[in-house]
Amino acid sequence: MVVLSPEAVRSIFVDGLRNAHALENQALSIMNRQLDRLEKYPEVAQRLRSHVDETNGQIGRLEQILESLNESHSAMKDLGASFMGNMAALGHTVAGDEILKNSFANFAFENYEIAAYKSLIEIAQRGGFQNAIPLLEASLKEEQAMAAWMDQNLSAVTDRYLQLSIAGADASH
């Protein structure tokens, strides 16, 4: 195992926290854009609204950790990630199966966030940032719960999409 200086670990940790902050802003952009269009999938809309609240809490926890390190989030990273989130969500609006594409992308995105939090927890443990660990673990649990919900509900969303499509309705959102 390579031994890193405390300064190097701190720098990596801060960069990871800033990246996670930007990632959560991207998630908000994606979810809010989807919520604007979800008409025929109220259970998905309800869960996304709940996860928007969780995501705002995750952003707050990341800011709390950064502040404890006398650091702040990166406005440029946040802006870029939010823009990319909006573009990704817009890209699916032209698809006839928008709800399915969004469901696949959301599931993948949640698992990406899970990996990011697991990595941050590992860095926090290695760097001795013990106060950050419970905050990161709380966010990890929320992301895992959201990914599990999406996994458990993909079949129902797909079934609803099929039913609406077969009936000749616009099933895309």
Side-chain angles (χ1 to χ4, degrees):
M1 179 183 334
V2 175
V3 178
L4 297 173
S5 70
E7 296 80 22
V9 174
R10 184 186 189 284
S11 177
I12 292 167
F13 187 54
V14 168
D15 194 43
L17 292 167
R18 287 178 176 149
N19 289 339
H21 192 276
L23 186 65
E24 295 300 358
N25 276 288
Q26 183 176 9
L28 282 178
S29 295
I30 291 169
M31 290 185 290
N32 285 327
R33 178 74 63 178
Q34 289 176 16
L35 281 168
D36 289 343
R37 296 182 49 79
L38 274 173
E39 299 165 4
K40 297 181 177 80
Y41 302 87
E43 63 287 338
V44 175
Q46 180 182 356
R47 186 61 179 103
L48 282 178
R49 276 191 289 279
S50 174
H51 197 54
V52 163
D53 292 340
E54 290 172 343
T55 302
N56 282 317
Q58 293 163 7
I59 289 170
R61 287 192 286 270
L62 290 165
E63 290 173 354
Q64 182 181 345
I65 297 166
L66 284 164
E67 288 170 11
S68 75
L69 299 169
N70 294 317
E71 300 285 349
S72 64
H73 61 89
S74 169
M76 290 301 293
K77 283 184 181 185
D78 290 350
L79 182 62
S82 292
F83 176 77
M84 293 304 295
N86 276 314
M87 293 300 99
L90 277 174
H92 291 169
T93 62
V94 297
D97 60 349
E98 176 183 358
I99 185 65
L100 296 180
K101 285 186 172 48
N102 283 342
S103 295
F104 306 157
N106 290 346
F107 185 67
F109 199 85
E110 292 304 321
N111 281 283
Y112 186 89
E113 290 175 303
I114 289 167
Y117 281 111
K118 285 182 175 185
S119 180
L120 282 170
I121 291 166
E122 178 68 24
I123 296 167
Q125 289 170 342
R126 293 268 309 269
F129 303 108
Q130 299 306 314
N131 292 339
I133 294 171
L135 299 172
L136 296 169
E137 287 175 338
S139 295
L140 173 62
K141 285 179 183 159
E142 290 169 350
E143 298 298 1
Q144 289 170 326
M146 183 63 177
W149 185 90
M150 297 177 97
D151 186 37
Q152 294 162 359
N153 286 275
L154 182 58
S155 180
V157 169
T158 302
D159 187 57
R160 175 101 172 116
Y161 174 79
L162 286 170
Q163 289 176 10
L164 290 168
S165 294
I166 291 166
D170 177 7
S172 65
H173 56 276

